[in-house]
Amino acid sequence: MSRTAQVVWDDALTSYNFGPSHPMAPVRVELTMALARELGVLDKVELGGCVPATDDELAMVHRPGYIEAVKRVSATGQPDPGAGLGTMDNPAFKGVHEASALIAGASLAAARAVWEGTAEHAVNVAGGLHHAMPAMASGFCVYNDPALAIAWLLRQGARRVAYVDVDVHHGDGVQAAFYDDPRVLTISLHESPRTLFPGTGFPEETGADGTAVNVALPAGCGDAGWLRAFHAIVPPLVHEFAPEILVTQHGCDSHALDPLANLMLSLDGQRAAYAALHRLAHEAAGGRWIAVGGGGYELVQVVPRAWTHLIAEAAGHPVDPATPTPQSWRQFVRDRTGETAPLTMTDGRNPEFTDLSGGYDPADPIDRAVMATRNAVFPLHGLDPMP
C-alpha cells in the first residue's frame, strides 16, 4: 500500500542510555536496525537523518524551566528530583538532554517528512517516549517525542490528528498534552491501570468532547482478546474523527515475554496490529502515517523482530513471518549480548479473533472493558456504543 516510507535514524540515537542495569537498554534499537538491515528491509525505505530538537521546539510541550533543569542534569550528571531525574526509573546521566533532544528531533523529522510530502509514512523506532510530562520526566521518558510531533503538526496547520498508542502502558503524557484539545484524538490500549504503571487510563478519562479514549484491558489478555478490543474501538473512532494524519506508538511490551507487564500478545498478534494501523492510515488519513517505537524490554527475543515487522509494514513489503532470521544477525546478537537469538520472524501463532459485531459477552472481562470504553466515548462522537 505504501508508495514511499522513510526511517529516521542516526547511530547517536543509542546514546539515550540510563545505564547497564536499566531495562530500557539502547541495544534493543541497535539490534532492530541490524535485523532490518540484514533482512533487506532497509533497502525498501529511505533512510533520513535528524538533528536535536531545539529549545523552542521542545517548548511546544515542555516548560522552559524543565528544559533548563534537564540541561543542568545533562552537564553535571547530578540528580534533580523535582524534574523527575535521578530516580530508579529515570536515572540522571551526563548528556541526557542531548540524547533526549535527538530522539525528539527524530520524531520531528518524521513528522516533517510526512507533512511536507517527502514520504507517505515515516518511522522512528527510537521514539515513543509517551510518559514524559510538561515539567517532569516519567516512566523512562524525558522529552515526549510523539506529543512534540503532534504539536509541530498543529503548528503547521493540521486541523485534526489522531494518535493511537498500543504500548502496554497508558500513553498518559500524550493524553495530558492534548486532553482539552479537540483537534487531537488520543486512543490508548493498555493493561488496566489497576495492575500496571502509571495508574491512569480509565475509560472515564474522556477529554474534550470524547477525544481521549482509553481501553483498559485485563492482565492476561492475549492476541484474540486484544485484537477484538482494537477493532471494536479504534477503526470506528478514527474513521469518524477523519484525521489528516495518523500518529501511532508501538511499544511492544504487550508481548507475553515482556518482563515488566502482564499482557500475553505474541509477535504475530503485534504484527497484525501494525497491518491494521497501516490500512487505517490509508482509509482514514490519506495514507499519512507517522510511527514511533516505545516500550519493550525483552531486548533480544521481541523488540528487534517486532519493530523490523513495523518498518517492513510501513515500507509496504511485509516480512513473511516464517522467514528465518539471518545467521549473521544471530551471531551479532551473541557477540553483542551473549544471548541466543530467535530463529524465525514468528512466534508461530495465528492471531485470529471474533469481531464484536457478533455480540458481546457481559461475563467476559475483555468485553466488559471494551463496552466501558464504547459507552464512555462513542455517544460523544455520534456513534452507537452497542455492537
Side-chain angles (χ1 to χ4, degrees), residues 13-232:
L13 288 165
T14 59
S15 63
Y16 190 80
N17 189 347
F18 288 116
S21 62
H22 196 277
M24 195 168 179
V27 72
R28 66 195 192 127
V29 291
E30 183 183 350
L31 296 180
T32 297
M33 294 299 289
L35 179 57
R37 187 174 293 110
E38 291 293 318
L39 282 175
V41 171
L42 296 186
D43 296 335
K44 307 292 197 304
V45 301
E46 298 174 0
L47 282 177
C50 56
V51 296
T54 66
D55 289 2
D56 286 345
E57 288 169 337
L58 294 171
M60 292 186 294
V61 168
H62 297 286
R63 295 176 187 165
Y66 172 66
I67 298 168
E68 291 305 312
V70 176
K71 286 183 172 181
R72 288 193 296 270
V73 172
S74 194
T76 66
Q78 296 302 306
D80 184 340
L85 288 167
T87 66
M88 289 185 65
D89 276 1
N90 312 300
F93 66 91
K94 287 187 176 181
V96 62
H97 167 76
E98 291 77 11
S100 304
L102 187 62
I103 288 177
S107 288
L108 289 172
R112 185 175 295 108
V114 174
W115 180 255
E116 294 179 352
T118 58
E120 189 175 35
H121 309 328
V123 182
N124 172 24
V125 292
L129 306 182
H130 61 166
H131 294 306
M133 294 292 177
M136 178 75 68
S138 177
F140 312 163
C141 306
V142 178
Y143 294 139
N144 196 318
D145 62 285
L148 286 162
I150 295 168
W152 184 88
L153 291 167
L154 296 175
R155 180 177 285 185
Q156 304 315 301
R159 292 167 295 175
R160 291 178 309 282
V161 179
Y163 170 78
V164 180
D165 188 318
V166 300
D167 195 290
V168 77
H169 302 91
H170 177 223
D172 57 338
V174 182
Q175 174 180 289
F178 304 106
Y179 196 68
D180 296 316
D181 192 334
R183 298 174 296 173
V184 181
L185 173 70
T186 64
I187 305 177
S188 177
L189 295 92
H190 47 265
E191 184 179 331
S192 170
R194 293 186 173 88
T195 56
L196 193 67
F197 175 90
T200 57
F202 291 97
E204 296 79 17
E205 299 169 32
T206 58
D209 302 321
T211 53
V213 180
N214 289 291
V215 190
L217 295 165
C221 177
D223 290 340
W226 193 97
L227 290 167
R228 178 175 169 89
F230 174 95
H231 286 280

Side-chain angles (χ1 to χ4, degrees), residues 221-268:
C221 177
D223 290 340
W226 193 97
L227 290 167
R228 178 175 169 89
F230 174 95
H231 286 280
I233 300 291
V234 178
L237 286 171
V238 173
H239 278 288
E240 182 64 28
F241 189 70
E244 294 167 271
I245 195 162
L246 178 65
V247 180
T248 57
Q249 195 269 18
H250 294 271
C252 53
D253 40 9
S254 58
H255 195 278
L257 293 180
D258 196 90
L260 300 188
N262 311 292
L263 295 189
M264 299 296 289
L265 272 69
S266 70
L267 188 75
D268 304 285

Side-chain angles (χ1 to χ4, degrees), residues 298-320:
E298 209 327 306
L299 308 178
V300 171
Q301 301 300 318
V302 177
V303 178
R305 293 188 297 162
W307 289 348
T308 294
H309 277 300
L310 174 63
I311 296 169
E313 180 64 44
H317 296 277
V319 172
D320 185 330

